[in-house]
Amino acid sequence: MTVYLLRCCKDNSLYCGMAKNAVERCLVHNASQGSKYVRSRLPAVLVWVERGLTKREAMRMESVIKRMPKAMKEALVENNS
């Protein structure tokens, strides 16, 4: 499983999600088939991915990231570059 962050270009917000394949999931989001949050802020760009997690690890990590302040999420993205 993967945990990923998308940058929503309309308002520069970050969206966290989990999927088996983050690239394919990003394509789904950009086809307006994903979450309502992203759909209203398209286009979205994949900016951070953590791969190789079990489903349980991915769920836990997604939960932790969703509770982080935006500055901490931005730091994840920055450190990934």
Side-chain angles (χ1 to χ4, degrees), residues 7-52:
R7 169 129 8 243
C8 299
C9 295
K10 188 172 185 179
D11 65 357
N12 205 36
S13 64
L14 291 168
Y15 173 84
C16 182
M18 67 177 223
K20 288 182 181 176
N21 185 321
V23 174
E24 286 181 11
R25 186 66 180 148
C26 183
L27 294 172
V28 169
H29 280 293
N30 278 307
S32 295
Q33 303 282 314
S35 71
K36 251 189 226 185
Y37 181 87
V38 175
R39 193 178 314 145
S40 65
R41 291 162 173 83
L42 291 174
V45 178
L46 187 62
V47 293
W48 180 84
V49 178
E50 181 72 32
R51 293 181 174 87

Side-chain angles (χ1 to χ4, degrees), residues 61 63-74 76:
M61 182 179 277
S63 177
V64 168
I65 292 172
K66 285 186 173 189
R67 289 191 309 266
M68 286 180 179
K70 186 173 185 208
M72 287 181 73
K73 294 175 193 175
E74 291 289 357
L76 277 177

